[in-house]
Amino acid sequence: MQGLSPDGRGIAVGRELLALFPTLDWLVSFLGAYSDEASLDELIPTMTLEHVRREGGGHAIVLRCAAADAYGVDRLRRVSSATRGQLYTGAGSVFVRWRERDAPFGYDLCAPLSAPAEEVLVVDVNVAASYRTVDRMDPVELIQRLQLRPVPLPLRGIAADPELCGLAELALVLVAPGLAARTLAYLWRLEVPMAGYYVELEDDPRPSLLLRLRNPTRRALDVLSGMPGVELLAPVSARAAVEVGYKHPIQLASASACFPGEEMFLFRGTVGRVERLDTAPRFIDGRHLVQNTGGSRLREIGQLREAELDPLRVDLKLRPSAHPREPRGTLIAWEQVDLLRHLVYLIPPSALAASRLVPLEEGVVVLTGSGVGARSASAAAGLGAGAIVPLGRRLGAVAPGVLVVDGFELWPRVRPALMRQLLGLGADDHALFLSASADPVRVRPEQLLPLDAALIGRMALGEAVVREPVDAPLVPGEVDNQKLGRFALWGFGGLSRTAGVPALTDGEDDSEGLGPGQ
Amino acid sequence: MSPPLAAFIQSFVLPLLGGGAVAVRGPIRPSDREDMAQDPGELGSPALRFLRLRRAQQLAPDPVLPDPDLTELTLWIGLHNTLVFDHPERDRVWARASTWRRLEGATRTFLTLPAAADEAEGLARHVSIGAFVQLLRRDTVVATSAGEVRFLGQPMPRRRLRLLAVPPTGHREELVHWLQAPHAPETERLIEDAMRTSPLTCLLHPHTAPPGWSPLQASDFLRSRGSARSIVYTWARAADWVAVGAAVMSALLPSVPLPQTAGDADPPRASVAPSDPWAGGERPELPPPSPPGEMLALPGVVVPTSPEALSAVVGALIHLHFLKVVELQARLGALATGRDPGTLAFLALPLVLPMIASVTGTPSPGLGGAGLGRASAGGAVLPTGGSANSRGGAASGTVARRWAEYLDHLGELVPRRTVDNLLAALVPRITQRQ
């Protein structure tokens, strides 16, 4: 049969499929069952629905679509047989029965058959029927016009199980025009996160309010579900929502091709209507929809009474403490500098690089990296010569860059950042409390000398003397074809005159009389 | 009048070895060579000996070279005459074709030298042939309205300059590699003869080696550690090191044929059976059956091999792999390979190292099976780090990891059949275990 060809498994598959259904209800059942299993988007682009009359009498609904592979056709056959449909395959106007148990590779015609004009010939095992088209239906329009089926709600209300109603994550609320303001105010008081906009429904002069509630609370759902004039809709796809308590006969999530363009479809079961919104919903945040009725205003503070804080102020002072601190530096008296010079050879390189030095009247202060103005990450880590050198008095950090001799602390214990602020330190400044009686010392960053550079004497480098190699590098030779001039070639006949000279291979003698002209 | 020996050395030999203009004049006759041999004192000139030594030092730090002798002079004359065949003014010579054939025969005789007696003589041959292989030629190219005119190794004559009306900047100079440039047919044949005189040069430049050459002819150089290291480093410097190793391995494969099994020893002769599909009347005519014992085909020349020579060559090729692993270029190089047998056999060599490591040793400790790091019987092992200090141990660990990854990579790249062929043909000849 023309248009019928075997696939990879040898099954006869035609270019088109034809399914016969006795009534429209069974067709809807077929579409609903198929949409539960697979996507209707594969069928709808090539699907046509026709109301046909049989030649001998009787009516039927015919669904025609392009055939996919045999696996897909088998699924169609299984679903159609469950909904009282008959599946045929073929092309053009002649169709034969799809494969079944008795014919696992399908059927073909025993003899060529042709259908009358504008009729479809359906051939079964032992019977052929001719159908004439009476009416055509648009499948997209049919799906959009289908009546919703009521489904039972939980006995304890929607709030008992919002997951069952599809409202757990997102709920759409269509509010009648007269209830919009009160509903908004109620949801605003409940602090329900919402967004919405006003939509103009067909045959309604005043716009209704469409609200979107994300993760709606159970209380809000409970109140809204029982309110006349307020309809809860559960989104079933990106552009379709069905009223809670109803179900569309077809799984709309698998039929996105039924909703062309950017239109939004609201299937309302209570009033039995399908609302088509012309554009995709553009929700506005709920705080812009409600009306502010509050009258209280914040008052700006005029003048602060700073003078009244003076009795509260206390002095920052040094007091003895037994609290141990990690050493961040050391104060070495000038008499012990010679010992420091010897100890430098023992300090590890990382510690030497992380340490800085400040020469003061009281002695030499060797600082370990304190995080303030540190030259490197290792310096900021804190292991420096100040922690290693066993000389002088240790200095501990009470705040970044604020060092106090060991055995003392600053009192009261204020925040470290505030302490630097109270002392008036710059970003990279250090404050040293070297003794309880003396005033603290401010050390600016330019006064900090790297310990290694300060202690190691300068070395004078001599200029390198580069000696040119005596011998030029060996380079490949270049062929120089010198001028030959015109001369006669001779002297390559005959044998060699002495032993050890290579013997010639060609013994032919030559008789040209001229020698090489070179 | 024959060119005096001093002039020949000054104009041809010294520039050939040390760089400069290598003068190519008219062909040198055997009688001229005899005239030169009358007074060979110039062969001992300090400049010549110094340049030979410097050339040899490019391969070995402390080379031992014999004094220049008449055999080497004969080789230089042969090289000179080889260049004469490419002379652009050759058609100006009054000579018949038979005379040119005689000149080719005489030049071939010059280039036909006995095999080098020892390494020193082989190195001396390489000094000359290696410089010959590296020769350059400066061509002058003039762009005219009728196309480009190329003067091969010659300056542009002023007369032509006037005739062609070339502006002063209308010409350019190109430096071409002489060996890779097109040659006269005689030159092509003589280059093969010249290459046969120096197996070491063939080993270093396997792409230019003549047909039938085998690396086993130069295995003596691979047995000593210093020269072997220099040779392998020369291979590693090549841009396409896999192609170099594959060329050496391709030349080695005819020397290690697959052993004949019981089934292969007496292949069944084709017989006309009743079920023969050709028996339908269209069967092609077969030659008449030859008497028993007659050879229908001659096998290729197989160089006698010794385990020491084989292990030296194989060890050097494996060391080439190792050098590229250390340079982190091994995987990239091995990716762009073809499927010819030489390339596959070369890539499969590291996979058989555990089986021959007891003889060849391994490039580095920890890269093989038994006998790690031991000196081989043939001296082919080229250890890179034998000390057991901590830094060397860490480096060896890293290299061993890279080597293991490289072996895994090769295992995926090389067909198993190639490895099996090497295990059947090469490994027993090295380990002497059948």
PDB file of all heavy atoms in Angstrom, chain B residues 187-201:
ATOM      1  N   THR B 187      72.417  14.230  -7.969  1.00  0.00           N
ATOM      2  CA  THR B 187      72.670  14.682  -6.597  1.00  0.00           C
ATOM      3  C   THR B 187      71.835  13.876  -5.605  1.00  0.00           C
ATOM      4  O   THR B 187      72.320  13.499  -4.539  1.00  0.00           O
ATOM      5  CB  THR B 187      72.338  16.182  -6.470  1.00  0.00           C
ATOM      6  OG1 THR B 187      73.003  16.878  -7.504  1.00  0.00           O
ATOM      7  CG2 THR B 187      72.769  16.712  -5.144  1.00  0.00           C
ATOM      8  N   GLU B 188      70.588  13.597  -5.974  1.00  0.00           N
ATOM      9  CA  GLU B 188      69.739  12.804  -5.078  1.00  0.00           C
ATOM     10  C   GLU B 188      70.373  11.445  -4.807  1.00  0.00           C
ATOM     11  O   GLU B 188      70.392  10.973  -3.677  1.00  0.00           O
ATOM     12  CB  GLU B 188      68.350  12.613  -5.711  1.00  0.00           C
ATOM     13  CG  GLU B 188      67.545  13.884  -5.886  1.00  0.00           C
ATOM     14  CD  GLU B 188      66.872  14.318  -4.604  1.00  0.00           C
ATOM     15  OE1 GLU B 188      67.063  13.636  -3.584  1.00  0.00           O
ATOM     16  OE2 GLU B 188      66.186  15.354  -4.602  1.00  0.00           O
ATOM     17  N   ARG B 189      70.899  10.834  -5.849  1.00  0.00           N
ATOM     18  CA  ARG B 189      71.505   9.517  -5.658  1.00  0.00           C
ATOM     19  C   ARG B 189      72.792   9.617  -4.854  1.00  0.00           C
ATOM     20  O   ARG B 189      73.084   8.764  -4.003  1.00  0.00           O
ATOM     21  CB  ARG B 189      71.775   8.886  -7.026  1.00  0.00           C
ATOM     22  CG  ARG B 189      70.517   8.570  -7.812  1.00  0.00           C
ATOM     23  CD  ARG B 189      70.831   7.712  -9.013  1.00  0.00           C
ATOM     24  NE  ARG B 189      71.520   8.426 -10.079  1.00  0.00           N
ATOM     25  CZ  ARG B 189      70.904   9.004 -11.117  1.00  0.00           C
ATOM     26  NH1 ARG B 189      69.595   8.947 -11.215  1.00  0.00           N
ATOM     27  NH2 ARG B 189      71.576   9.631 -12.043  1.00  0.00           N
ATOM     28  N   LEU B 190      73.565  10.655  -5.108  1.00  0.00           N
ATOM     29  CA  LEU B 190      74.854  10.770  -4.413  1.00  0.00           C
ATOM     30  C   LEU B 190      74.670  11.139  -2.946  1.00  0.00           C
ATOM     31  O   LEU B 190      75.512  10.793  -2.113  1.00  0.00           O
ATOM     32  CB  LEU B 190      75.718  11.818  -5.119  1.00  0.00           C
ATOM     33  CG  LEU B 190      76.205  11.391  -6.512  1.00  0.00           C
ATOM     34  CD1 LEU B 190      76.913  12.537  -7.205  1.00  0.00           C
ATOM     35  CD2 LEU B 190      77.149  10.197  -6.395  1.00  0.00           C
ATOM     36  N   ILE B 191      73.594  11.850  -2.641  1.00  0.00           N
ATOM     37  CA  ILE B 191      73.354  12.184  -1.226  1.00  0.00           C
ATOM     38  C   ILE B 191      73.155  10.903  -0.423  1.00  0.00           C
ATOM     39  O   ILE B 191      73.657  10.765   0.711  1.00  0.00           O
ATOM     40  CB  ILE B 191      72.131  13.115  -1.111  1.00  0.00           C
ATOM     41  CG1 ILE B 191      72.490  14.523  -1.578  1.00  0.00           C
ATOM     42  CG2 ILE B 191      71.635  13.185   0.315  1.00  0.00           C
ATOM     43  CD1 ILE B 191      71.300  15.460  -1.661  1.00  0.00           C
ATOM     44  N   GLU B 192      72.443   9.935  -1.004  1.00  0.00           N
ATOM     45  CA  GLU B 192      72.266   8.659  -0.308  1.00  0.00           C
ATOM     46  C   GLU B 192      73.607   7.979  -0.076  1.00  0.00           C
ATOM     47  O   GLU B 192      73.862   7.432   1.001  1.00  0.00           O
ATOM     48  CB  GLU B 192      71.348   7.753  -1.125  1.00  0.00           C
ATOM     49  CG  GLU B 192      69.925   8.231  -1.200  1.00  0.00           C
ATOM     50  CD  GLU B 192      69.036   7.225  -1.908  1.00  0.00           C
ATOM     51  OE1 GLU B 192      69.550   6.151  -2.292  1.00  0.00           O
ATOM     52  OE2 GLU B 192      67.840   7.514  -2.067  1.00  0.00           O
ATOM     53  N   ASP B 193      74.482   8.046  -1.089  1.00  0.00           N
ATOM     54  CA  ASP B 193      75.797   7.438  -0.902  1.00  0.00           C
ATOM     55  C   ASP B 193      76.570   8.163   0.194  1.00  0.00           C
ATOM     56  O   ASP B 193      77.276   7.527   0.991  1.00  0.00           O
ATOM     57  CB  ASP B 193      76.573   7.487  -2.217  1.00  0.00           C
ATOM     58  CG  ASP B 193      75.902   6.636  -3.277  1.00  0.00           C
ATOM     59  OD1 ASP B 193      75.332   5.596  -2.899  1.00  0.00           O
ATOM     60  OD2 ASP B 193      75.920   7.019  -4.456  1.00  0.00           O
ATOM     61  N   ALA B 194      76.456   9.478   0.201  1.00  0.00           N
ATOM     62  CA  ALA B 194      77.176  10.234   1.230  1.00  0.00           C
ATOM     63  C   ALA B 194      76.660   9.895   2.624  1.00  0.00           C
ATOM     64  O   ALA B 194      77.436   9.762   3.586  1.00  0.00           O
ATOM     65  CB  ALA B 194      77.045  11.728   0.962  1.00  0.00           C
ATOM     66  N   MET B 195      75.343   9.739   2.736  1.00  0.00           N
ATOM     67  CA  MET B 195      74.788   9.430   4.051  1.00  0.00           C
ATOM     68  C   MET B 195      75.216   8.040   4.517  1.00  0.00           C
ATOM     69  O   MET B 195      75.369   7.799   5.720  1.00  0.00           O
ATOM     70  CB  MET B 195      73.266   9.518   4.023  1.00  0.00           C
ATOM     71  CG  MET B 195      72.715  10.908   3.781  1.00  0.00           C
ATOM     72  SD  MET B 195      73.160  12.086   5.041  1.00  0.00           S
ATOM     73  CE  MET B 195      72.251  11.466   6.439  1.00  0.00           C
ATOM     74  N   ARG B 196      75.394   7.121   3.577  1.00  0.00           N
ATOM     75  CA  ARG B 196      75.777   5.767   3.980  1.00  0.00           C
ATOM     76  C   ARG B 196      77.166   5.734   4.589  1.00  0.00           C
ATOM     77  O   ARG B 196      77.491   4.813   5.330  1.00  0.00           O
ATOM     78  CB  ARG B 196      75.744   4.832   2.773  1.00  0.00           C
ATOM     79  CG  ARG B 196      74.354   4.396   2.412  1.00  0.00           C
ATOM     80  CD  ARG B 196      74.353   3.167   1.534  1.00  0.00           C
ATOM     81  NE  ARG B 196      72.992   2.765   1.252  1.00  0.00           N
ATOM     82  CZ  ARG B 196      72.261   3.217   0.237  1.00  0.00           C
ATOM     83  NH1 ARG B 196      72.814   4.057  -0.614  1.00  0.00           N
ATOM     84  NH2 ARG B 196      71.013   2.838   0.074  1.00  0.00           N
ATOM     85  N   THR B 197      78.004   6.738   4.296  1.00  0.00           N
ATOM     86  CA  THR B 197      79.352   6.723   4.865  1.00  0.00           C
ATOM     87  C   THR B 197      79.341   7.062   6.341  1.00  0.00           C
ATOM     88  O   THR B 197      80.316   6.788   7.029  1.00  0.00           O
ATOM     89  CB  THR B 197      80.244   7.743   4.140  1.00  0.00           C
ATOM     90  OG1 THR B 197      79.660   9.032   4.295  1.00  0.00           O
ATOM     91  CG2 THR B 197      80.361   7.389   2.681  1.00  0.00           C
ATOM     92  N   SER B 198      78.281   7.678   6.844  1.00  0.00           N
ATOM     93  CA  SER B 198      78.253   8.107   8.248  1.00  0.00           C
ATOM     94  C   SER B 198      76.984   7.609   8.926  1.00  0.00           C
ATOM     95  O   SER B 198      75.943   8.283   8.900  1.00  0.00           O
ATOM     96  CB  SER B 198      78.324   9.633   8.331  1.00  0.00           C
ATOM     97  OG  SER B 198      78.186  10.053   9.664  1.00  0.00           O
ATOM     98  N   PRO B 199      77.008   6.417   9.502  1.00  0.00           N
ATOM     99  CA  PRO B 199      75.815   5.940  10.232  1.00  0.00           C
ATOM    100  C   PRO B 199      75.418   6.848  11.391  1.00  0.00           C
ATOM    101  O   PRO B 199      74.251   6.945  11.738  1.00  0.00           O
ATOM    102  CB  PRO B 199      76.236   4.563  10.731  1.00  0.00           C
ATOM    103  CG  PRO B 199      77.371   4.163   9.858  1.00  0.00           C
ATOM    104  CD  PRO B 199      78.068   5.421   9.493  1.00  0.00           C
ATOM    105  N   LEU B 200      76.389   7.527  11.973  1.00  0.00           N
ATOM    106  CA  LEU B 200      76.058   8.414  13.092  1.00  0.00           C
ATOM    107  C   LEU B 200      75.191   9.578  12.617  1.00  0.00           C
ATOM    108  O   LEU B 200      74.238   9.972  13.293  1.00  0.00           O
ATOM    109  CB  LEU B 200      77.350   8.924  13.740  1.00  0.00           C
ATOM    110  CG  LEU B 200      77.172   9.876  14.903  1.00  0.00           C
ATOM    111  CD1 LEU B 200      76.315   9.263  15.993  1.00  0.00           C
ATOM    112  CD2 LEU B 200      78.525  10.297  15.464  1.00  0.00           C
ATOM    113  N   THR B 201      75.511  10.129  11.459  1.00  0.00           N
ATOM    114  CA  THR B 201      74.672  11.203  10.924  1.00  0.00           C
ATOM    115  C   THR B 201      73.269  10.696  10.621  1.00  0.00           C
ATOM    116  O   THR B 201      72.271  11.386  10.859  1.00  0.00           O
ATOM    117  CB  THR B 201      75.316  11.769   9.654  1.00  0.00           C
ATOM    118  OG1 THR B 201      76.685  12.072   9.920  1.00  0.00           O
ATOM    119  CG2 THR B 201      74.596  13.016   9.187  1.00  0.00           C
TER     120      THR B 201
END
